[in-house]
Amino acid sequence: MSGVAQRYATALFELAQEAGAIDAVAAALDSFNGLLAESEDLRRLIESPAFTAEEQVAAIKAVLEKAGITGIAANFIGLVASKRRLFALPGMIAGYKRLVAEAKGIVSAEVTVAEQPTAKRVDEIRAALKGVAGKDVDVSIKIDPALIGGLIVKMGSRMVDASLKTKLNSIRLAMKEVG
């Protein structure tokens, strides 16, 4: 994450903390992040330097109003637009989420699986990771059918690859060495 994104995320976190609105801001930012994931046009708006600050502010205000995003998060996103820093907004959102997780003592983990797991399976993964981390774990699931089976877990600086794809590649490599 860039220094700009971290500074903005920290300022937003401190403001939300003072207002007692950490979770409300996080929910609003998640909602905006969802809009970014869905809309190519919105991503182009925040990434392109071709738009003027006025155009970006007007467009962002319209998007926020339509999405029902208000309060501290809406004011923050509007400020970011007026300062021509929208390109760094995804990093700011990620930084804010990290600060919230740290404040709550939650560890983030990214789990990649071959197919969508059941809710029970996600709970089992979360419980296993909580046992390893010793803290609550926020699990984000990614689907990659190329794994064939098994899973890949990234938690902090650690990564465990227990996918069938990796195991098959290891066997293939071992067979080439023998032959």
Side-chain angles (χ1 to χ4, degrees):
M1 175 179 1
S2 74
V4 169
Q6 185 59 48
R7 286 192 302 276
Y8 274 79
T10 302
L12 177 61
F13 180 76
E14 290 172 358
L15 182 64
Q17 198 172 31
E18 286 176 16
I22 291 174
D23 292 333
V25 171
L29 292 177
D30 282 342
S31 177
F32 189 80
N33 229 7
L35 295 174
L36 277 176
E38 293 172 9
S39 174
E40 179 69 34
D41 290 337
L42 184 56
R43 283 192 304 275
R44 194 174 313 113
L45 172 73
I46 71 163
E47 292 170 358
S48 175
F51 297 103
T52 67
E54 294 79 22
E55 290 170 332
Q56 286 181 324
V57 168
I60 287 295
K61 281 186 179 181
V63 168
L64 294 172
E65 189 176 312
K66 183 89 170 162
I69 298 172
T70 59
I72 294 172
N75 292 341
F76 174 76
I77 295 170
L79 173 75
V80 170
S82 70
K83 298 292 184 187
R84 305 271 305 154
R85 299 278 191 263
L86 279 177
F87 65 90
L89 189 58
M92 293 173 195
I93 293 171
Y96 181 84
K97 290 175 75 171
R98 268 195 299 279
L99 290 169
V100 171
E102 285 175 21
K104 292 183 175 188
I106 298 172
V107 177
S108 294
E110 181 181 292
V111 178
T112 308
V113 292
E115 58 188 31
Q116 184 64 45
T118 64
K120 181 181 178 200
R121 184 72 176 137
V122 172
D123 289 341
E124 290 170 352
I125 292 169
R126 186 175 288 115
L129 293 175
K130 183 177 180 177
V132 170
K135 297 180 178 182
D136 285 335
V137 179
D138 178 31
V139 177
S140 70
I141 302 290
K142 291 192 174 182
I143 310 299
D144 182 2
L147 294 183
I148 303 169
L151 52 87
I152 298 173
V153 178
K154 294 177 187 171
M155 189 164 61
S157 62
R158 295 183 284 183
M159 182 176 120
V160 176
D161 187 342
S163 66
L164 192 54
K165 176 183 176 182
T166 299
K167 291 178 182 177
L168 288 173
N169 284 340
S170 296
I171 292 170
R172 183 178 305 124
L173 185 61
M175 296 298 287
K176 284 183 180 178
E177 289 175 3
V178 171

